[in-house]
């Protein structure tokens, strides 16, 4: 993986990215206020300071700005201004690209990876902004038309030759599901400069609420599902649902929206849209799918991704696009499989909500008679899901280790106590508490027989742990490899 694509932005809300002559947008966050960082921004060369009209600026700060020969611009909404100014500075790159957005409580990342895979296999230059990483794959085949249409023979696609069409895909780290606007627009500008045709974009609910995708309009979208989540940000489920439904505001005229019609909350939110296409469980095909994909929920992801592409690139049917996933390698941190020396299988997964935990463990339960679960909950996040995740872990697992996972500012044992509160007394006999996550993983693997499956839930692709504001290296893959 390459280092971050950009160090400096022409417009930014973080002083680390300020460049000489640049613009610093002061955003009042939940813990910090951008106004307090104006001196650093000026020191790094900012010459325009954007401040929300509702903010009070100390007189000495205004004098400092004046002495640095910088100008102040007052705006109604600093987050909106960050998006607008970032787009303007980048030359409005989103208008020059075709963009597919994916939203939903779970399934966003897998759906994004599937869309990217199908587009690459169909011969398109494609970029992706996702939770796991960001990427740009440039189409390099000397004869684009041959690669795109020449392999469709006898109503089938010869997938064996598509690998020749792409080389040197660039992979970049990702810090958020949907990056801040300063990054997003510079990324999109790079896509335009490199000749990318399609961009697949994961869009979290917070991205709508915090104006991260303001001014970006989608050629198509997928709404995977809706379940309770992000209680730390949205006081009510209604507010969370309303944020997700804002995807309708970002669709281009007549752009298709593929949605999960069996999910009542999703159907109520977007089902009335004239170009919405609902998918039910009855629509899921029984086509073969790769070993890297398991669980009914991933059949939804495959089918909706294929149907989406069939609408925007109708030269192939949805069935054809589905066929392109047969060599799909999977998604880092999403049911990522490792095999121990004794033959037991370890699956690392990002599941960090009750619905996701249940979906993953139900899929693994079908493959073993001895399921070991290692699970924890993140600190400074939705506390209401902790007892539910504890309950689901104990309901599906034969042996359950309740442990720590990014406690952040909280006491790890307090988080574990919240999880234990949801486990019925009848299931407590199979529960082990081990605050140290590495010790919990090692103990779980030590209890495994050749036919066992160990599910490591919560961290997924993340290779760090956050304790009291400090990020420490922590890799479940490395721990497993060293057993």
């Amino acid at each position: 993986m390459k280092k971050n694509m950009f160090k400096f932005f022409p417009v930014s809300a973080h002083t680390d990215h300020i460049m000489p002559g640049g613009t610093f947008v002061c955003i009042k966050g939940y813990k910090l206020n951008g106004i307090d960082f104006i001196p650093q921004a000026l020191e790094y060369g900012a010459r325009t300071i954007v401040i929300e009209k509702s903010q009070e600026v100390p007189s000495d700060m205004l004098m400092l700005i004046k002495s640095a020969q910088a100008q102040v611009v007052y705006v109604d909404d600093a987050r909106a201004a960050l998006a607008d100014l970032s787009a303007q500075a980048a030359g409005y790159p989103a208008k020059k690209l075709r963009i597919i957005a994916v939203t939903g409580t779970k399934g966003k990342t897998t759906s994004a990876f599937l869309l990217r895979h199908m587009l690459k296999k169909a011969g398109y230059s494609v970029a992706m902004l996702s939770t796991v990483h960001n990427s740009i794959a440039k189409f390099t085949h000397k004869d684009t038309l041959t690669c795109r249409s020449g392999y469709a023979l006898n109503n089938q696609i010869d997938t064996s030759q598509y690998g020749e069409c792409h080389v040197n895909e660039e992979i970049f780290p990702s810090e958020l599901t949907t990056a801040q606007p300063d990054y997003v627009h510079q990324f999109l500008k790079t896509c335009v400069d490199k000749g990318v045709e399609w961009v697949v974009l994961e869009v979290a609910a917070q991205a709508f609420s915090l104006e991260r995708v303001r001014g970006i309009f989608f050629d198509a979208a997928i709404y995977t599902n809706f379940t309770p989540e992000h209680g730390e940000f949205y006081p009510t489920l209604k507010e969370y649902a309303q944020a997700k439904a804002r995807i309708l505001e970002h669709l281009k005229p007549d752009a298709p929206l593929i949605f999960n019609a069996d999910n009542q909350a999703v159907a109520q939110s977007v089902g009335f849209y004239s170009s919405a296409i609902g998918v039910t469980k009855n629509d899921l095909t029984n086509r073969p799918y790769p070993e890297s994909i398991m669980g009914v929920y991933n059949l939804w992801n495959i089918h909706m991704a294929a149907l989406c592409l069939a609408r925007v690139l109708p030269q192939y049917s949805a069935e054809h696009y589905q066929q392109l996933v047969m060599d799909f390698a999977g998604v880092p941190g999403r049911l990522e499989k490792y095999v121990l020396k004794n033959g037991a299988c370890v699956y690392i997964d990002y599941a960090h909500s009750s619905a996701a935990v249940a979906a993953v463990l139900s899929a693994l339960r079908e493959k073993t008679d001895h399921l070991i679960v290692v699970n924890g909950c993140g600190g400074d996040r939705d506390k209401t899901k902790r007892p539910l995740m504890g309950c689901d872990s104990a309901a599906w697992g034969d042996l359950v280790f309740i442990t720590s996972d990014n406690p952040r500012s909280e006491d790890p044992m307090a988080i574990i106590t919240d999880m234990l509160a949801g486990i019925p007394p009848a299931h407590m006999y199979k529960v082990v508490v081990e605050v140290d996550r590495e010790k919990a993983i090692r103990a779980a693997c030590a209890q495994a027989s050749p036919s066992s499956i160990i599910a490591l839930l919560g961290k997924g692709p993340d290779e760090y742990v956050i304790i009291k504001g400090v990020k420490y290296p922590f890799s479940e893959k490395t721990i497993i490899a060293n057993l």
Side-chain angles (χ1 to χ4, degrees):
M1 183 181 293
K2 292 192 174 185
K3 295 182 179 179
N4 286 318
M5 293 182 70
F6 318 104
K7 174 60 178 175
F8 303 109
F9 304 123
V11 179
S12 184
H14 199 296
T15 53
D16 283 352
H17 304 303
I18 293 297
M19 59 191 298
T23 296
F24 178 59
V25 181
C26 301
I27 290 179
K28 186 176 182 180
Y30 296 95
K31 295 182 179 180
L32 301 173
N33 191 333
I35 285 179
D36 297 330
F37 295 88
I38 290 176
Q40 290 95 314
L42 294 172
E43 181 182 346
Y44 296 154
R47 288 300 172 263
T48 300
I49 308 297
V50 178
I51 301 173
E52 211 165 79
K53 293 175 182 177
S54 61
Q55 291 254 58
E56 291 187 12
V57 185
S59 58
D60 59 338
M61 194 74 77
L62 292 173
M63 289 297 295
L64 182 65
I65 296 170
K66 184 177 181 180
S67 66
Q69 297 183 328
Q71 65 171 331
V72 177
V73 176
Y74 292 97
V75 297
D76 293 324
D77 186 328
R79 293 187 185 277
L82 177 63
D84 294 344
L85 293 171
S86 296
Q88 181 184 45
Y92 300 102
K95 295 180 179 180
K96 305 167 189 176
L97 296 161
R98 303 191 73 183
I99 300 173
I100 300 175
V102 184
T103 197
T105 304
K106 53 189 177 72
K108 293 189 298 295
T109 301
T110 299
S111 296
F113 271 74
L114 286 165
L115 286 165
R116 180 188 68 162
H117 183 81
M118 293 176 189
L119 283 165
K120 286 169 59 179
K121 298 286 282 186
Y124 289 90
S125 296
V126 56
M128 178 182 71
L129 285 157
S130 80
T131 305
V132 175
H133 61 235
N134 304 325
S135 66
I136 297 177
K138 182 70 176 70
F139 186 80
T140 59
H141 198 281
K142 64 181 180 180
D143 187 345
T144 301
L145 293 178
T146 297
C147 196
R148 288 185 182 167
S149 61
Y151 302 147
L153 302 173
N154 300 321
N155 206 32
Q156 293 185 358
I157 297 176
D158 178 3
T159 62
S160 64
Q161 302 181 59
Y162 280 98
E164 301 172 359
C165 297
H166 287 84
V167 293
N168 299 327
E169 181 172 30
E170 298 175 285
I171 306 294
F172 306 95
S174 171
E175 295 183 358
L176 296 168
T177 297
T178 312
Q180 298 289 357
D182 48 10
Y183 180 98
V184 169
H185 288 285
Q186 288 300 308
F187 181 89
L188 296 179
K189 179 181 182 297
T190 301
C191 292
V192 172
D193 293 342
K194 289 179 176 288
V196 168
E197 300 155 284
W198 287 92
V199 176
V200 179
L201 174 65
E202 274 192 62
V203 188
Q206 295 94 322
F208 294 119
S209 300
L210 300 177
E211 304 293 355
R212 291 180 192 165
V213 291
R214 176 184 169 90
I216 299 176
F217 297 95
F218 311 136
D219 293 86
I222 295 173
Y223 192 160
T224 59
N225 49 64
F226 180 90
T227 57
E229 177 67 304
H230 298 302
E232 80 285 355
F233 191 92
Y234 297 103
T236 66
L237 275 180
K238 181 179 179 181
E239 290 172 272
Y240 179 38
Q242 288 173 338
K244 287 287 190 189
R246 285 188 61 187
I247 196 166
L248 295 174
E249 302 172 14
H250 291 262
L251 291 172
K252 294 179 181 178
D254 300 321
L257 171 62
I258 314 300
F259 72 97
N260 184 336
D262 284 350
N263 188 297
Q264 186 177 4
V266 176
Q268 289 177 345
S269 294
V270 300
F272 63 88
Y273 171 60
S274 60
S275 295
I277 303 168
V279 175
T280 70
K281 189 173 182 179
N282 293 332
D283 297 320
L284 304 183
T285 62
N286 293 318
R287 290 181 174 275
Y289 53 92
E291 186 180 347
S292 62
I293 293 287
M294 70 171 72
V296 173
Y297 62 96
N298 272 323
L299 293 182
W300 282 91
N301 295 333
I302 292 172
H303 183 80
M304 289 198 286
L307 183 58
C308 179
L309 291 186
R311 292 289 171 165
V312 294
L313 292 169
Q315 61 265 41
Y316 296 134
S317 66
E319 290 73 22
H320 285 154
Y321 285 112
Q322 268 188 253
Q323 188 178 334
L324 296 180
V325 304
M326 287 309 297
D327 62 348
F328 181 63
V331 181
R334 301 301 191 277
L335 285 175
E336 191 171 357
K337 181 180 178 181
Y338 296 87
V339 180
L340 299 181
K341 293 176 181 178
N342 72 345
C345 293
V346 179
Y347 287 88
I348 296 175
D349 196 89
Y350 192 52
H352 57 278
S353 69
S354 174
V357 168
V360 168
L361 294 183
S362 63
L364 294 177
R365 177 81 272 179
E366 297 177 0
K367 294 181 172 292
T368 183
D369 59 1
H370 189 226
L371 179 59
I372 303 173
V373 181
V374 178
N375 200 2
C377 288
D380 300 334
R381 296 295 185 267
D382 187 356
K383 293 184 178 182
T384 63
K385 67 183 181 181
R386 294 174 183 174
L388 301 176
M389 289 175 63
C391 180
D392 288 323
S393 297
W396 291 101
D398 298 299
L399 176 60
V400 179
F401 289 82
I402 301 297
T403 186
S404 180
D405 178 3
N406 282 346
R408 297 183 176 87
S409 69
E410 292 193 62
D411 175 7
M413 196 60 219
I415 298 173
I416 288 173
T417 299
D418 288 342
M419 294 184 70
L420 295 174
I423 300 176
H427 286 164
M428 286 301 298
Y429 74 93
K430 53 185 174 181
V431 174
V432 177
V433 173
E434 174 53 74
V435 179
D436 187 311
R437 191 175 181 94
E438 180 171 352
K439 289 181 179 179
I441 292 171
R442 291 180 177 276
C445 292
Q447 293 292 322
S449 66
S451 62
S452 298
I453 285 180
I454 305 105
L456 309 183
L457 304 182
K459 298 200 74 63
D462 295 345
E463 297 197 330
Y464 59 83
V465 60
I466 303 173
I467 302 173
K468 301 298 180 183
V470 180
K471 184 182 286 188
Y472 299 95
F474 186 90
S475 171
E476 293 186 332
K477 299 176 187 178
T478 301
I479 294 170
I480 295 300
N482 291 332
L483 290 177

